[in-house]
């Protein structure tokens, strides 16, 4: 059974305004949390629990976790706070390694919408509007690839699964049928399969069936 890691992030919310008092600080008490042994209610899913406090320095401070990935030797956090979207990378002991740079230059992130990890090819993949940016596990930039508009994506066994919103890419058809389009591609973003998902009908159908 795969080991799952429960990551507890201890931090304080603070403000730069001096007039704020200690009552404005939110504190999370994890005293004794590492001593919890009884996880029988989820024993079918979790065989091991570790509490890993992530470093809270100026460079590593996390404000809002959009998504989080755990690899063999890295903890990767997508911190989506206001307009400061960053990918922060820690080692398995919680020590901060690197954060993504924000900007419009090569390897920089203007505004991240989603993040996933390609475990087969060991790459961090970040979506920026109609573009995917690829990084190694320490946020060294590899390449960018343009793609059509999509809402969010996941990566499983080297295959990329994209979901669009209604009216994205095929506005007339999808508005009429209330469908979301789903694409499956390989790492090069070559489309291998596609389907439509209906929120209204709660069904998935191959795209070819809908055009018959």
């Amino acid at each position: 059974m795969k080991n799952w890691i429960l990551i507890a992030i201890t931090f304080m919310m603070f403000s730069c305004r001096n007039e704020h008092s200690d009552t404005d600080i939110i504190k999370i008490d994890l005293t004794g949390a590492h001593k919890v042994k009884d996880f029988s209610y989820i024993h079918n899913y979790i065989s091991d629990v570790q509490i890993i406090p992530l470093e809270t320095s100026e460079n590593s401070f996390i404000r809002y976790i959009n998504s989080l990935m755990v690899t063999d030797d890295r903890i990767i956090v997508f911190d989506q706070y206001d307009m400061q979207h960053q990918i922060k990378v820690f080692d398995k002991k919680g020590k901060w390694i690197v954060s993504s740079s924000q900007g419009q230059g090569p390897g920089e992130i203007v505004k991240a919408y989603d993040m996933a990890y390609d475990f087969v090819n060991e790459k961090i993949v970040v979506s920026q509007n109609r573009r995917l940016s690829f990084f190694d596990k320490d946020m060294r930039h590899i390449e960018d690839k343009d793609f059509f508009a999509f809402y969010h994506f996941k990566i499983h066994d080297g295959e990329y699964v994209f979901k669009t919103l209604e009216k994205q890419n095929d506005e007339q058809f999808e508005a009429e049928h209330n469908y979301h389009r789903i694409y499956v591609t390989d790492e090069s973003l070559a489309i291998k399969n596609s389907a439509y998902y209906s929120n209204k009908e709660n069904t998935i159908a191959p795209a070819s069936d809908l055009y018959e």
Side-chain angles (χ1 to χ4, degrees), residues 74 76 87 89 98 117 121-125 133-143:
R74 294 290 185 271
I76 306 165
I87 311 300
V89 181
V98 68
Y117 188 78
N121 299 291
E122 297 186 332
K123 294 178 180 179
I124 299 171
V125 186
S133 297
F134 295 77
F135 303 85
D136 68 10
K137 63 182 181 180
D138 291 328
M139 288 306 298
R140 288 184 286 263
H141 183 239
I142 300 172
E143 61 179 335

Side-chain angles (χ1 to χ4, degrees), residues 9-163:
I9 302 172
T10 306
F11 62 90
M12 296 188 301
M13 303 296 293
F14 61 87
S15 171
C16 61
R17 292 189 295 177
N18 293 330
E19 68 268 25
H20 280 204
S21 66
D22 290 341
T23 59
D24 297 313
I25 299 175
I26 300 174
K27 297 181 180 180
I28 300 176
D29 185 7
L30 294 178
T31 304
H34 65 285
K35 298 179 181 179
V36 176
K37 299 297 183 181
D38 184 11
F39 289 94
S40 58
Y41 63 101
I42 48 174
H43 69 276
N44 290 329
Y45 307 99
I46 297 176
S47 61
D48 182 59
V49 174
Q50 299 178 43
I51 296 177
I52 304 175
L54 300 183
E55 180 181 328
T56 53
S57 63
E58 181 179 353
N59 292 321
S60 65
F61 189 83
I62 296 172
R63 294 165 176 83
Y64 178 81
I65 296 178
N66 176 286
S67 59
L68 182 148
M69 299 288 172
V70 179
T71 72
D72 290 338
D73 57 359
R74 294 290 185 271
I75 299 169
I76 306 165
V77 179
F78 176 19
D79 183 6
Q80 190 181 38
Y81 176 75
D82 196 18
M83 296 300 293
Q84 299 178 6
H85 297 188
Q86 277 194 317
I87 311 300
K88 294 181 170 69
V89 181
F90 302 81
D91 66 19
K92 291 299 282 289
K93 294 183 178 180
K95 181 177 177 56
W96 173 77
I97 297 174
V98 68
S99 297
S100 60
S101 299
Q102 192 167 22
Q104 300 185 28
E108 295 180 327
I109 295 175
V110 179
K111 183 177 181 180
Y113 290 91
D114 202 0
M115 178 201 75
Y117 188 78
D118 186 341
F119 285 87
V120 173
N121 299 291
E122 297 186 332
K123 294 178 180 179
I124 299 171
V125 186
V126 181
S127 67
Q128 302 189 72
N129 198 4
R130 296 173 180 263
R131 171 175 296 181
L132 289 179
S133 297
F134 295 77
F135 303 85
D136 68 10
K137 63 182 181 180
D138 291 328
M139 288 306 298
R140 288 184 286 263
H141 183 239
I142 300 172
E143 61 179 335
D144 296 318
K145 294 181 181 179
D146 292 331
F147 203 49
F148 47 72
F150 58 91
Y151 178 52
H152 61 75
F153 74 110
K154 300 296 180 184
I155 304 174
H156 179 69
D157 288 342
E159 291 187 327
Y160 291 54
V161 182
F162 299 89
K163 176 188 174 184

